[in-house]
Amino acid sequence: MSEETFYDYIIIGAGVAGLSSAQYAARGGLKTLVIDVSMPGGQALTIPTLENYPGLYPSVSGTQFCVNMKEQAESFGAVVIQKAVSSIDKISDVFTVYCGKEKYSSYALLIATGASHRKLGVPGEAELEGRGVSYCATCDGPFFKGKKIFVIGGGDSACDEAMFLSTLSDDITLVHRRDTLRAQKAVADRLLANPKVKVIFNSKVKQIKGEGRVQSIELESTVDAAVTEHSCDAVFIFAGMHPVTELVEMLPKDEGGYIKTDDEMQTLMSGMYAAGDIRSKPFRQVVTAVSDGAIAAHSAISYVMKIKDDKK
Ligand code: NAP
């Protein structure tokens, strides 16, 4: 392995956990590489206004926040590249990360690949994705300005995104399968007070219908199984996330499939850390992902220093 492709610390995933870890590790003296298949920022890129990050007041957009994080990490020497990681392995105390034919090596490795959107799995969802079915209001909302929009889910994402969509249309309907929202109280209260958003409780999606584009949605009551059809132009789905663990199937996970770590972000494999939404933990927020990343960097610095000391 050439010196150019050997790093102290490789981070897979350039979401806010990965970028935070890159900044702390590079500033702490580790030669650090961040690899992501997409542009840096991950899920946080889609946050219209990051209003609950302590001290970031007035708030900024998620996109601006991620651009700042990347530039801050780079200012300390971290290298951020856009490539798809195909596999990883570890021989002795060296990890190798394969990106097709290219490979990069390191002593410590952080898995920060986050979580992806859960699908509903109902008829019409896959067929009409990109034709009115969407999982990102910031990305696709502007295509439906002034249109009739349905939002599915009762968590923070559904409520936040419905609020954002209500800046584009007066005709938003949020559908939740239970009779109370899961979202944090402040988020839920604000949603319920928004006159542009109608909420249908106790209903689940049975089918999304349309010829070439979304034209209607069928809902089924969870109380009496009554089915109703509603015309609409778009269905934004926020049914939660599932962790992206394909690269590390060998690691122990909790019942939700999230990677188990200790308080130092250490996984069961020595020198391999996990941070952010992929990690088993009670509260997933930008601020907790950033914290995970910093702790992982702190652990990696001690680990790499010990390896280097042992080799002297
Ligand atoms: P979430 O909290 O897991 O909520 C998912 C929602 O989708 C739940 O209300 C769930 O219903 C519903 N759901 C799941 N499967 C469904 C199905 N098949 N059909 C219909 N509804 C379904 O996910 P999230 O809102 O994406 O949030 C993920 C994490 O990010 C959370 O920890 C959240 O706090 C955090 N987050 C925070 C903020 C913020 O602080 N402003 C913003 C976004 C996200 P049930 O309630 O019945 O389970």
Side-chain angles (χ1 to χ4, degrees):
M1 185 63 48
S2 75
E3 228 179 74
E4 294 80 63
T5 53
F6 197 97
Y7 289 81
D8 294 319
Y9 187 40
I10 294 180
I11 296 164
I12 305 178
V16 294
L19 291 174
S20 152
S21 206
Q23 184 215 298
Y24 268 77
R27 187 167 179 269
L30 294 191
K31 187 181 174 194
T32 301
L33 174 69
V34 186
I35 310 175
D36 199 307
V37 66
S38 304
M39 70 182 281
Q43 279 182 65
L45 285 171
T46 66
I47 300 172
T49 308
L50 183 52
E51 64 170 21
N52 60 354
Y53 195 89
L56 193 66
Y57 187 77
S59 50
V60 298
S61 69
T63 304
Q64 186 60 58
F65 183 74
C66 296
V67 168
N68 292 352
M69 283 194 82
K70 173 181 177 274
E71 289 180 357
Q72 195 177 11
E74 288 173 332
S75 76
F76 290 111
V79 175
V80 183
I81 61 171
Q82 197 169 337
K83 284 189 192 300
V85 174
S86 40
S87 63
I88 55 183
D89 68 23
K90 187 183 187 194
I91 296 173
S92 181
D93 52 14
V94 174
F95 287 99
T96 303
V97 175
Y98 296 88
C99 301
K101 286 182 182 152
E102 290 168 65
K103 55 183 182 177
Y104 303 88
S105 294
S106 63
Y107 291 128
L109 184 69
L110 176 67
I111 305 298
T113 43
S116 62
H117 294 285
R118 192 182 291 140
K119 313 255 163 152
L120 297 176
V122 296
E125 180 182 19
E127 297 84 337
L128 293 166
E129 183 172 347
R131 295 154 190 254
V133 170
S134 170
Y135 304 86
C136 177
T138 319
C139 321
D140 298 327
F143 295 121
F144 300 99
K145 214 165 179 182
K147 302 282 188 183
K148 198 171 169 55
I149 298 173
F150 273 62
V151 175
I152 315 303
D156 285 326
S157 297
C159 293
D160 274 354
E161 303 294 330
M163 289 298 293
F164 169 70
L165 290 166
S166 77
T167 65
L168 301 171
S169 167
D170 295 350
D171 196 350
I172 311 292
T173 305
L174 182 138
V175 179
H176 183 37
R177 63 185 178 182
R178 291 187 295 118
D179 62 357
T180 37
L181 296 170
R182 174 185 290 278
Q184 298 167 78
K185 189 174 181 312
V187 176
D189 286 350
R190 192 172 41 190
L191 186 276
L192 294 170
N194 185 333
K196 295 177 181 175
V197 183
K198 180 179 154 203
V199 180
I200 301 179
F201 286 109
N202 297 317
S203 291
K204 59 185 185 186
V205 180
K206 191 169 161 52
Q207 191 177 171
I208 302 168
K209 292 162 85 172
E211 290 292 326
R213 65 174 182 88
V214 169
Q215 288 168 315
S216 68
I217 184 167
E218 250 182 36
L219 303 179
E220 182 179 327
S221 163
T222 55
V223 178
D224 58 11
V227 174
T228 49
E229 185 169 349
H230 308 256
S231 67
C232 63
D233 303 291
V235 180
F236 286 84
I237 298 167
F238 303 102
M241 312 295 291
H242 63 85
V244 180
T245 55
E246 285 78 6
L247 292 170
V248 286
E249 289 305 349
M250 66 291 208
L251 293 177
K253 313 203 179 56
D254 68 12
E255 59 290 344
Y258 293 90
I259 296 173
K260 289 183 178 176
T261 70
D262 65 13
D263 289 347
E264 313 301 317
M265 308 300 135
Q266 172 69 62
T267 67
L268 199 67
M269 188 180 290
S270 171
M272 186 189 281
Y273 305 90
D277 280 5
I278 196 171
R279 189 173 84 83
S280 179
K281 59 180 181 177
F283 196 39
R284 292 190 173 79
Q285 297 278 295
V286 172
V287 73
T288 61
V290 164
S291 165
D292 284 1
I295 295 170
H298 178 74
S299 304
I301 290 168
S302 311
Y303 177 80
V304 171
M305 276 171 56
K306 180 158 184 338
I307 291 183
K308 287 185 172 176
D309 281 349
D310 290 348
K311 286 187 187 296
K312 277 181 188 161

